[in-house]
Amino acid sequence: MVTENTRKRLIVVGGDAAGMSAASQAKRRMGKDTLDVWVLERSPHISYAACGMPYMIGGVIEDPDKLLILKPETAREKRGIDVRLGHEAVAIDVGARTVTFRAGQGEAQQQSYDALVLATGALPRVPAVEGVNLDGVEVLRTFADGLKLKQRLSAGAVKDVVVVGAGLVGLEMAEAFRSRGCNVTLLKRTASALLGLEPAFDEQVEAALARNGCVLLKGSPLEAIVDNGRGGVAAVRAGGETRKADLVLLAAGVVPNTSLAAQAGIDLGAQKTIAVDEHLETSAPDVFAVGDCAAQTHRISGQSVFVSQALAANRMGKIAGANVAARLSEKGRFKTHPGTMATVLTKVFDLEVGMCGLTVAEARKAGFDVAFAWVKDRYRASYYPGTGPLYVGLVFEATGGRLLGGQLVGRQGAAKRLDVLVAALDAGMDLERLSRLDLGYCPPFAPAWDPLLVAATVARKKLEQ
Amino acid sequence: MVTENTRKRLIVVGGDAAGMSAASQAKRRMGKDTLDVWVLERSPHISYAACGMPYMIGGVIEDPDKLLILKPETAREKRGIDVRLGHEAVAIDVGARTVTFRAGQGEAQQQSYDALVLATGALPRVPAVEGVNLDGVEVLRTFADGLKLKQRLSAGAVKDVVVVGAGLVGLEMAEAFRSRGCNVTLLKRTASALLGLEPAFDEQVEAALARNGCVLLKGSPLEAIVDNGRGGVAAVRAGGETRKADLVLLAAGVVPNTSLAAQAGIDLGAQKTIAVDEHLETSAPDVFAVGDCAAQTHRISGQSVFVSQALAANRMGKIAGANVAARLSEKGRFKTHPGTMATVLTKVFDLEVGMCGLTVAEARKAGFDVAFAWVKDRYRASYYPGTGPLYVGLVFEATGGRLLGGQLVGRQGAAKRLDVLVAALDAGMDLERLSRLDLGYCPPFAPAWDPLLVAATVARKKLEQ
């Protein structure tokens, strides 16, 4: 019989994809009468599609509400999850098993837990320069950030935008700003290739930016943001030059949001992520960490890495939720997190750009004897109308030819071909194995020898030499 | 030193993809001074893109010559291959190592070989009914067939077309005929699903046919083709009904063209293919068989099967060519043929349709304890404009969940997602492994949980029950 004494409480800190997945999964597995689930979320929103925000801001997606995957009232009514918006966790006592939190501007309160899931995500990296707090300097991380950017653009006074950083957010937002009629300059701190792509692939992406009217300044670290005298932004200084700006987007990457965990004495891992075991449990008993704040094991290098990914957040949430249920109910098998293939997929204007596994530099750093081969092929049969170039690059072990990573760029046919490499990498395939796959052929979709097979064959020649 | 006595001769019978690949590969590996390569091709063309013909006939590809991948003069001049068009091999003596052939209507001649590659392909299956020889009854197999069909349609007198058979050629030609303004009726002998698809997938393809104005009559075997009194076709009789027809396309499948091999006493395999070992060598010494005429090992069932596929033809040609060179030069490693995943990829009007591995019926027949699960998901994020339904089906072992096959249908996003399943099948993945892949996510290209992952997760629940 279930009594008040046998009821358990799970507290989840952070109500985005990872946190809500954990909450939902634990609740579903334990049943409504045996588990109370609190989700403490400091913002007014839960479970929004962060990766959809550039398209919402750019106007491709008209209604911002479409990005709200799970409404708080649905989570409460349908899933029985006690979602507490505007609640910020401020301290954890892993010995006493309590979380201290504050609701809005209210006083600190304390609640005990039987299990705790940390899903505190990541925070935008803010360059340590003058002017970052001026009006018109924005970040894009929360749904509120997205709404604010959309409103600012809709107000119409934004003409010149400077994007600080040319990672995924920077590239996707460049397109959004262009589609809203802005002039866009991307500042890239270093002179290296975009996203860690190899030169031929980087060239294609840079050409897409140029073709679509963006100015990319490489090796141009942000030096300062210049005040317009009314508390707003007037310009940026970078690489010794000053450029007019009505809006500055700081898109210089994110850092795991783990100060709460660190203050509680929970062990940290790579790049200040929260260290977790294969069950996503932290160094503190019954405390799990999921999503961007948690370390992941790279499936190829075996190293602990920080990767910010929506799928991983969802997946880790589900796994940790199941493990919380297994722990608290003392039944059920623990689930393990398979780690990350560091898969990156993005759209840069008219290009599909994908990467998975290790880049050449990462592979070298991880100690592999690494080689790279690439081909420029076509995504349809050469004689079929509308075909065009597809670039396929393979990172592999110079001896033996085990696949370590892949890169794909093309106007079509790159996005989901990438997943073939993900599967091949996951299976530990070498170039020969890859070259022998019986991939689909149909003139509108692929040449008889798919570009992946051609790339594998070309790469094998590099091995044999 | 190379002398006349040390020169070797390879004869290749059949100059399409498989034969020319074998010829080119052997020549390249042996060098021009040590190997003479004869290719006996009875038609006026070599190496044409057979899979492109429906698009050439339908008008998507305007210039038929674009389908001629390798011109005979190029093969002769650049590759040093003695291509003999209009030459038909009529007998092989595997003991004396000779091929008897006829050039055009000329007398039979004989030539000896050191190695022989049979690349005789497949022939259209012609139903044993009255009227199949009437004018206006066509097949689509050779390039000449394709040109004839195109010319017939361009002449303008074709209004009502009956396609006998609803396999790949039938389906692709239905689209071609429709795009030339014809009324199209497809006759399917049995009442079973198209291509061996599971019901939900078959329904989608049938709906695409109906939506695009084709009439599909299932369980309607061709009974007779009716004469117009002038030696031409007037109508067809099928399923007890008579239907007007200006043109009848016999697309009731193909059979391996192996009578030459059989008459020479070479062992046959499944469905009258030529039996080959993993090096593609037949039962006769130094005689290899490649392409549609040769048996392949199904990578999942391990059974010998007949599969007609362009990629396999190219690949087998390359492998046999390399093995011929290894044999004749007495150096070099023999290459093995990895077999077939029976991958099928086609376009049915606005649908991408793909299959790989085993169908449910094939898996059952091969002795597997088989289960099937499918999902209707979307090929882009649900909130991204232009998304639409994607059907993913997985065939798997009911116990343990090893993947046995897959089916995909959708307006977008099906074609190359299929290849992820091909790789997963090749790696022997089970559902759990598939469900854990780190597939790419980006709203314009996929939901956070790719439909493949959703299908794997749904299928796993079927296992656990």
Side-chain angles (χ1 to χ4, degrees):
Chain A
M1 202 184 116
V2 179
T3 66
E4 273 306 306
N5 288 342
T6 59
R7 280 186 85 92
K8 305 279 188 179
R9 181 179 298 111
L10 164 65
I11 298 180
V12 177
V13 181
D16 290 339
M20 289 309 299
S21 292
S24 301
Q25 190 66 214
K27 187 79 183 178
R28 189 176 311 137
R29 290 187 176 240
M30 292 276 287
K32 68 180 165 61
D33 297 327
T34 51
L35 183 70
D36 290 324
V37 180
W38 283 30
V39 174
L40 305 177
E41 168 55 46
R42 63 182 179 184
S43 86
H45 307 103
I46 59 166
S47 287
Y48 62 99
C51 301
M53 291 201 296
Y55 309 103
M56 178 267 281
I57 297 163
V60 174
I61 298 162
E62 286 179 17
D63 179 5
D65 282 358
K66 285 202 173 172
L67 299 189
L68 298 172
I69 305 293
L70 177 66
K71 300 255 157 68
E73 49 276 21
T74 311
R76 289 187 196 112
E77 289 158 22
K78 296 268 167 66
R79 302 193 184 176
I81 296 169
D82 192 346
V83 175
R84 298 179 172 223
L85 301 178
H87 282 52
E88 181 164 18
V90 293
I92 300 165
D93 184 330
V94 299
R97 292 170 176 255
T98 60
V99 175
T100 305
F101 63 93
R102 198 172 271 129
Q105 301 304 312
E107 298 220 336
Q109 305 171 54
Q110 218 169 51
Q111 181 58 276
S112 65
Y113 63 77
D114 296 291
L116 176 66
V117 172
L118 299 175
T120 46
L123 297 170
R125 186 191 298 273
V126 176
V129 302
E130 203 180 305
V132 292
N133 294 318
L134 291 171
D135 185 50
V137 180
E138 305 291 347
V139 295
L140 177 62
R141 184 72 196 170
T142 65
F143 189 65
D145 294 338
L147 290 179
K148 192 175 166 203
L149 272 165
K150 186 184 176 79
Q151 282 151 10
R152 210 173 255 280
L153 290 167
S154 300
V158 179
K159 191 152 168 52
D160 296 297
V161 174
V162 172
V163 177
V164 180
L168 290 180
V169 171
L171 292 170
E172 291 172 3
M173 283 304 299
E175 184 176 348
F177 288 127
R178 286 299 292 154
S179 67
R180 299 294 291 253
C182 305
N183 302 318
V184 175
T185 302
L186 286 142
L187 300 182
K188 188 176 183 307
R189 198 169 52 82
T190 68
S192 62
L194 294 169
L195 305 173
L197 290 163
E198 287 304 295
F201 297 74
D202 174 57
E203 273 168 30
Q204 293 305 309
V205 180
E206 292 195 26
L209 290 174
R211 185 164 70 230
N212 287 283
C214 294
V215 176
L216 171 66
L217 300 177
K218 292 171 84 172
S220 288
L222 178 69
E223 289 152 7
I225 303 174
V226 182
D227 198 327
N228 64 2
R230 300 180 304 279
V233 60
V236 299
R237 277 211 320 272
E241 281 187 55
T242 300
R243 302 196 153 244
K244 186 174 174 314
D246 305 311
L247 192 153
V248 176
L249 180 72
L250 301 178
V254 291
V255 290
N257 178 19
T258 55
S259 53
L260 187 68
Q263 282 160 21
I266 294 170
D267 290 351
L268 297 190
Q271 292 166 264
K272 298 204 175 168
T273 51
I274 301 172
V276 289
D277 65 15
E278 60 171 0
H279 300 134
L280 301 177
E281 195 163 5
T282 69
S283 62
D286 304 325
V287 179
F288 297 78
V290 294
D292 291 354
C293 67
Q296 292 195 66
T297 303
H298 195 292
R299 296 195 202 187
I300 302 299
S301 70
Q303 293 173 340
S304 175
V305 292
F306 166 52
V307 172
S308 174
Q309 258 187 350
L311 173 59
N314 279 282
R315 180 176 266 151
M316 292 168 87
K318 268 181 84 172
I319 293 166
N323 290 347
V324 163
R327 172 68 51 78
L328 297 183
S329 65
E330 290 172 22
K331 63 179 187 229
R333 202 164 51 100
F334 269 61
K335 293 194 180 289
T336 61
H337 177 46
T340 179
M341 201 60 87
T343 309
V344 169
L345 179 59
T346 185
K347 178 175 170 295
V348 181
F349 292 94
D350 50 2
L351 285 187
E352 303 180 6
V353 180
M355 307 168 70
C356 57
L358 298 171
T359 64
V360 172
E362 287 166 348
R364 199 164 283 139
K365 205 169 159 193
F368 290 102
D369 180 17
V370 60
F372 184 77
W374 65 279
V375 297
K376 178 185 175 184
D377 201 342
R378 291 160 191 260
Y379 48 76
R380 295 178 175 180
S382 60
Y383 53 79
Y384 198 90
T387 191
L390 182 69
Y391 292 78
V392 181
L394 300 176
V395 184
F396 54 97
E397 284 190 294
T399 307
R402 182 165 71 106
L403 204 59
L404 300 173
Q407 305 184 3
L408 277 156
V409 175
R411 289 193 191 215
Q412 287 177 39
K416 287 288 128 176
R417 262 191 189 87
L418 178 71
D419 287 345
V420 184
L421 294 182
V422 171
L425 280 164
D426 200 276
M429 287 190 193
D430 61 14
L431 294 171
E432 182 178 358
R433 189 85 186 269
L434 179 62
S435 77
R436 290 156 73 96
L437 289 179
D438 189 8
L439 301 183
Y441 163 49
C442 183
F445 310 128
W449 291 100
D450 191 274
L452 293 174
L453 303 176
V454 176
T457 303
V458 165
R460 282 183 70 192
K461 284 180 187 146
K462 221 160 169 171
L463 266 189
E464 287 159 7
Q465 276 165 5
Chain B
M1 200 186 120
V2 179
T3 68
E4 272 307 307
N5 287 343
T6 59
R7 280 187 84 93
K8 306 279 189 178
R9 182 180 298 112
L10 164 66
I11 299 180
V12 177
V13 181
D16 290 340
M20 289 309 299
S21 291
S24 302
Q25 189 67 214
K27 187 78 182 177
R28 189 176 312 137
R29 289 186 176 242
M30 292 275 288
K32 67 180 166 60
D33 297 327
T34 51
L35 184 71
D36 290 324
V37 180
W38 284 29
V39 174
L40 306 177
E41 168 55 47
R42 63 182 180 184
S43 87
H45 306 103
I46 59 166
S47 287
Y48 63 98
C51 300
M53 291 202 294
Y55 309 102
M56 178 269 280
I57 297 163
V60 174
I61 298 163
E62 285 179 17
D63 179 5
D65 282 358
K66 284 203 173 175
L67 299 190
L68 298 172
I69 304 293
L70 177 67
K71 300 255 158 66
E73 50 277 22
T74 310
R76 289 186 196 111
E77 288 158 22
K78 297 267 167 67
R79 302 193 185 176
I81 297 168
D82 191 346
V83 175
R84 299 179 171 224
L85 301 178
H87 282 53
E88 181 164 18
V90 293
I92 300 165
D93 185 330
V94 299
R97 293 172 175 253
T98 59
V99 175
T100 306
F101 63 93
R102 199 172 270 130
Q105 300 304 311
E107 299 222 335
Q109 306 172 53
Q110 218 169 49
Q111 181 58 274
S112 64
Y113 63 78
D114 297 290
L116 176 65
V117 171
L118 299 174
T120 46
L123 297 170
R125 188 191 298 272
V126 177
V129 302
E130 204 179 302
V132 291
N133 293 317
L134 290 171
D135 185 49
V137 180
E138 305 290 348
V139 294
L140 176 62
R141 184 72 197 168
T142 66
F143 189 66
D145 294 337
L147 290 178
K148 192 174 166 204
L149 270 166
K150 186 184 176 80
Q151 282 151 10
R152 211 172 253 280
L153 289 168
S154 300
V158 179
K159 191 155 169 51
D160 295 297
V161 174
V162 172
V163 178
V164 180
L168 290 180
V169 172
L171 292 170
E172 290 172 4
M173 283 305 298
E175 183 176 348
F177 288 127
R178 285 299 292 153
S179 67
R180 300 294 291 250
C182 305
N183 302 319
V184 175
T185 302
L186 286 143
L187 300 182
K188 187 175 184 309
R189 198 170 54 81
T190 68
S192 63
L194 295 168
L195 305 173
L197 290 164
E198 288 303 296
F201 297 73
D202 174 56
E203 274 169 28
Q204 293 305 310
V205 180
E206 291 195 27
L209 291 174
R211 186 164 69 229
N212 288 283
C214 295
V215 176
L216 171 66
L217 301 176
K218 293 172 82 172
S220 288
L222 179 69
E223 290 152 7
I225 303 174
V226 183
D227 198 327
N228 65 3
R230 302 180 304 278
V233 60
V236 299
R237 277 211 320 273
E241 281 187 54
T242 300
R243 300 195 155 246
K244 186 174 174 314
D246 305 311
L247 193 153
V248 176
L249 180 72
L250 301 177
V254 292
V255 290
N257 179 18
T258 54
S259 53
L260 188 68
Q263 283 160 22
I266 294 171
D267 290 350
L268 297 190
Q271 291 166 263
K272 299 203 175 168
T273 51
I274 301 171
V276 290
D277 65 15
E278 60 172 359
H279 300 134
L280 302 177
E281 194 163 6
T282 70
S283 62
D286 304 326
V287 180
F288 297 78
V290 295
D292 290 356
C293 67
Q296 293 195 66
T297 303
H298 195 293
R299 297 195 202 186
I300 302 298
S301 70
Q303 293 173 339
S304 174
V305 292
F306 166 51
V307 173
S308 174
Q309 258 188 350
L311 172 59
N314 279 283
R315 178 176 269 151
M316 292 167 88
K318 269 182 84 171
I319 292 166
N323 290 347
V324 164
R327 172 69 50 79
L328 296 184
S329 64
E330 291 172 22
K331 62 177 188 232
R333 203 163 52 100
F334 269 63
K335 293 193 179 288
T336 61
H337 177 45
T340 178
M341 201 60 87
T343 309
V344 169
L345 180 59
T346 184
K347 177 175 172 293
V348 181
F349 292 93
D350 50 2
L351 285 187
E352 303 180 6
V353 181
M355 304 168 70
C356 57
L358 299 171
T359 64
V360 171
E362 287 166 349
R364 198 165 283 139
K365 206 170 160 194
F368 290 102
D369 179 17
V370 60
F372 183 77
W374 65 279
V375 296
K376 179 185 175 184
D377 200 345
R378 290 159 190 259
Y379 47 76
R380 295 178 175 178
S382 60
Y383 52 80
Y384 198 91
T387 190
L390 182 70
Y391 293 77
V392 181
L394 301 175
V395 184
F396 54 97
E397 284 191 294
T399 308
R402 182 165 71 105
L403 204 59
L404 300 173
Q407 305 184 3
L408 276 157
V409 175
R411 289 193 191 214
Q412 288 178 38
K416 287 287 126 176
R417 261 192 189 86
L418 179 72
D419 287 344
V420 184
L421 293 181
V422 171
L425 279 164
D426 200 275
M429 287 190 193
D430 61 13
L431 295 172
E432 183 178 357
R433 190 85 187 268
L434 178 62
S435 76
R436 290 155 72 96
L437 288 178
D438 190 8
L439 301 183
Y441 163 49
C442 183
F445 310 127
W449 292 99
D450 191 275
L452 294 174
L453 303 177
V454 176
T457 302
V458 165
R460 283 183 70 193
K461 285 182 185 145
K462 221 160 169 170
L463 267 189
E464 287 160 7
Q465 276 165 6

